Amino acid sequence: MHIMEGFLPTPWWQVWFAVSIPVILYGIYKMNKLVNEKREILPLLAVAGAFVFVLSSLKLPSMVTGSCSHPTGTGVAAIIFGPAISAVLGTIVLLYQALFLAHGGLTTLGANVFSMGIVGPVVAYLVYKAGMKANINFFVVVFLATALGDWATYVTTSVELALAFPAGDVLTFAGFMSSLGKFAGIFALTQVPLAIVEGAVSALLFKYVVNVKSDILVEMKVIEDKVVKKLRGTSA
Amino acid sequence: MTNILDDYALISPLRHINNWLKLAIVFFGLLAGVSSTSPITPLFIALCMSLATVALGRAPLKFYLKLLLAPAGFAFTGVIIIAFFSGSGQELMSFELAGYPLVIRADGLELALLVLSRSLGGMCCLYFLALTTPMIELFAVLKASRLPESLIELSMLIYRYIFVFLDMALSIKYAQTVRLGYSNFKRSINSLGMLASTLFIRSWEQGDKLFLSMNSRCYDGKMTLFEVHRPVKSTELLLTSVYFLLTLALFYFTKNISIV
């Protein structure tokens, strides 16, 4: 869910840039290290970024007709590449979305990167790691990771809006909470079902990839070989 | 999904204007709009930028108006929340909705209008950039701005592959649609999952091929670009300075005005 251009007033858009930029720099540092080790990774990252962009420009089928709904796609990237690199990919994709599709904006880029490029992927990645450790079914874990990542994104966006526009003009804790409740409550109407749909689509994505070309996932250390064998055994 | 703003930028006559001048205009508009305290300055910026985009940049008017409506959903929900729940001043109107009292206060409405106009001004600046400057022109600017090399490299490759994959996604989607893949909700989810996974696998293979082909052409981590030198004409400079001065004057004289 993108915050549109000009929506955040003066102290807040700078604040979110200040929060996001160190994380992006860390991501670039990580990426440079990875590229120096394995040169073939840069083209792969590039196509992954383009994949995230195209995925996010597809319309999701939604139960509420009329609402405009797009997947974020960053959950999938976080599962494959980890959160630091997803932040870099997310930043580039968000910039392109602002320039090509008019989703989001330039002054609000910092806030959008924070919610969609940093918090969402980090939550998705943590859920994914925890789920795999707990030995839950891989597809269930993917579903949970993407859906929870989406919800984290939408809660963060609500927090960003509530901090900028607290109830009663002056930023107090009570005003912030009341405003947060309202933003979160109204956006929940579209975002809660949307996250479930995106989770389902992501789980299906991984199901087809495991069936057709699982060596990609094993190579990227997303899942282990024996998990693939088990999954194929049950789904065949 | 098929309308990428970049397509219009490539055929815009304003494409041949100096990139730095256009960027200066856009960032000036964004900053002046977002820091203004009355809705008048952002609306003036919106008007000027729309005129520049449609009259000078030859963007189709109908398409432009449709674009402006695109983010309306987000804008209106946000603005309505602000109008109803912020502010503490005098009540303008109040009513009850399902036993829940709703009040619009004067300063809440003022803030909502300000936010709406700022968004409008910002969107117009953004569209001016998007509809007159193709991304390939901006890469030269990015290179000159001394951002990390790998980041620029990555964004160039991503840009290239967006078009390849959009094409692929569109043809797969057509094929699925004519086979009734999107006829009901359950089928749509399934089709979309298949589309995404095919796209993923194909893009992965494409990435391998790309690495091979770039390596065989001596890729060493740097792509050099040809940057066209475009001097700023005096009429452009004059027009820009008039616009800047007018905006600043308006910004100064309307800073304490409230319209409600």
Side-chain angles (χ1 to χ4, degrees):
Chain A
M1 192 174 60
H2 302 73
I3 301 179
M4 70 188 286
E5 179 61 60
F7 213 83
L8 292 179
T10 289
W12 291 107
W13 62 268
Q14 288 103 326
V15 166
W16 296 116
F17 266 110
V19 174
S20 301
I21 284 173
V23 183
I24 299 170
L25 287 180
Y26 175 72
I28 292 175
Y29 163 78
K30 273 275 238 214
M31 190 178 82
N32 279 340
K33 227 172 83 180
L34 200 65
V35 170
N36 284 340
E37 263 170 39
K38 277 208 257 172
R39 287 230 346 258
E40 68 268 27
I41 210 90
L42 189 75
L44 276 185
L45 285 175
V47 292
F51 171 74
V52 170
F53 178 90
V54 173
L55 196 64
S56 69
S57 71
L58 293 173
K59 272 207 178 76
L60 277 179
S62 75
M63 286 160 268
V64 197
T65 42
S67 73
C68 177
S69 47
H70 298 274
T72 56
T74 44
V76 177
I79 291 175
I80 298 173
F81 294 107
I85 290 175
S86 300
V88 181
L89 287 182
T91 310
I92 298 176
V93 168
L94 282 168
L95 183 68
Y96 284 159
Q97 284 176 337
L99 287 178
F100 297 162
L101 301 172
H103 293 171
L106 292 180
T107 56
T108 52
L109 187 65
N112 284 330
V113 166
F114 185 70
S115 68
M116 305 179 74
I118 297 172
V119 174
V122 165
V123 169
Y125 185 74
L126 290 179
V127 171
Y128 170 73
K129 281 282 161 197
M132 288 313 277
K133 213 162 222 170
N135 246 335
I136 309 170
N137 179 294
F138 174 65
F139 303 126
V140 177
V141 175
V142 170
F143 172 78
L144 285 177
T146 9
L148 288 173
D150 266 17
W151 282 331
T153 298
Y154 124 80
V155 170
T156 314
T157 312
S158 306
V159 168
E160 284 166 353
L161 288 171
L163 279 173
F165 303 105
D169 286 342
V170 195
L171 184 56
T172 55
F173 184 70
F176 164 70
M177 285 316 281
S178 123
S179 188
L180 174 64
K182 265 132 210 168
F183 278 113
I186 289 182
F187 288 127
L189 287 180
T190 55
Q191 295 301 314
V192 169
L194 208 62
I196 296 175
V197 171
E198 182 172 353
V201 170
S202 307
L204 275 175
L205 189 166
F206 278 100
K207 184 184 158 221
Y208 289 123
V209 174
V210 165
N211 278 343
V212 180
K213 207 170 157 59
S214 56
D215 46 329
I216 296 176
L217 299 176
V218 177
E219 194 189 324
M220 286 306 291
K221 299 194 182 92
V222 177
I223 47 177
E224 286 163 23
D225 212 14
K226 59 174 196 246
V227 182
V228 173
K229 289 217 175 80
K230 206 175 107 196
L231 286 174
R232 281 192 157 172
T234 53
S235 64
Chain B
M1 173 171 135
T2 43
N3 274 335
I4 280 209
L5 304 185
D6 216 44
D7 297 344
Y8 291 89
L10 285 166
I11 52 171
S12 166
L14 288 185
R15 179 186 170 179
H16 303 292
I17 303 232
N18 187 296
N19 292 325
W20 294 98
L21 182 74
K22 278 190 281 191
L23 277 179
I25 294 175
V26 168
F27 279 102
F28 172 81
L30 285 180
L31 291 179
V34 89
S35 48
S36 73
T37 46
S38 82
I40 296 168
T41 324
L43 287 180
F44 176 71
I45 293 171
L47 188 71
C48 288
M49 289 283 89
S50 305
L51 268 179
T53 318
V54 175
L56 300 175
R58 303 267 169 78
L61 182 65
K62 238 183 175 170
F63 170 72
Y64 187 75
L65 290 178
K66 241 167 120 185
L67 265 186
L68 278 181
L69 283 178
F74 178 82
F76 282 110
T77 5
V79 162
I80 284 171
I81 294 174
I82 295 170
F84 276 108
F85 298 112
S86 70
S88 48
Q90 166 209 0
E91 281 183 22
L92 279 184
M93 103 193 206
S94 65
F95 56 91
E96 273 191 16
L97 188 75
Y100 194 76
L102 290 171
V103 187
I104 299 187
R105 296 175 196 279
D107 47 353
L109 186 61
E110 180 86 42
L111 184 66
L113 285 176
L114 178 61
V115 169
L116 188 65
S117 65
R118 273 182 190 161
S119 295
L120 190 65
M123 288 319 289
C124 288
C125 287
L126 203 61
Y127 287 146
F128 173 73
L129 183 68
L131 289 172
T132 62
T133 317
M135 202 58 215
I136 30 178
E137 308 276 338
L138 288 180
F139 285 133
V141 173
L142 282 179
K143 284 237 165 183
S145 67
R146 303 176 60 173
L147 283 165
E149 195 78 36
S150 57
L151 186 71
I152 299 168
E153 221 50 18
L154 190 61
S155 19
M156 279 161 65
L157 286 172
I158 289 180
Y159 176 73
R160 161 89 183 87
Y161 275 94
I162 280 174
F163 296 99
V164 177
F165 295 151
L166 262 185
D167 238 25
M168 216 186 277
L170 265 183
S171 46
I172 296 176
K173 193 152 190 190
Y174 280 136
Q176 286 178 328
T177 315
V178 295
R179 287 167 181 79
L180 300 180
Y182 293 92
S183 54
N184 63 34
F185 184 71
K186 210 182 142 209
R187 276 192 198 159
S188 329
I189 299 267
N190 207 5
S191 305
L192 206 63
M194 265 193 204
L195 198 168
S197 62
T198 313
L199 211 59
F200 178 77
I201 293 169
R202 290 227 191 141
S203 55
W204 205 270
E205 285 169 350
Q206 195 73 46
D208 281 341
K209 280 185 204 153
L210 177 67
F211 175 68
L212 269 182
S213 60
M214 276 175 21
N215 245 5
S216 54
R217 287 164 183 78
C218 305
Y219 173 68
D220 63 345
K222 271 190 206 100
M223 276 189 272
T224 39
L225 281 181
F226 175 68
E227 190 187 352
V228 188
H229 184 64
R230 299 198 178 96
V232 183
K233 287 192 204 115
S234 53
T235 43
E236 290 161 13
L237 206 60
L238 192 73
L239 206 61
T240 313
S241 2
V242 169
Y243 164 64
F244 279 17
L245 285 177
L246 272 179
T247 311
L248 284 177
L250 205 60
F251 184 83
Y252 182 75
F253 287 119
T254 61
K255 65 181 174 187
N256 292 323
I257 284 183
S258 65
I259 50 171
V260 179

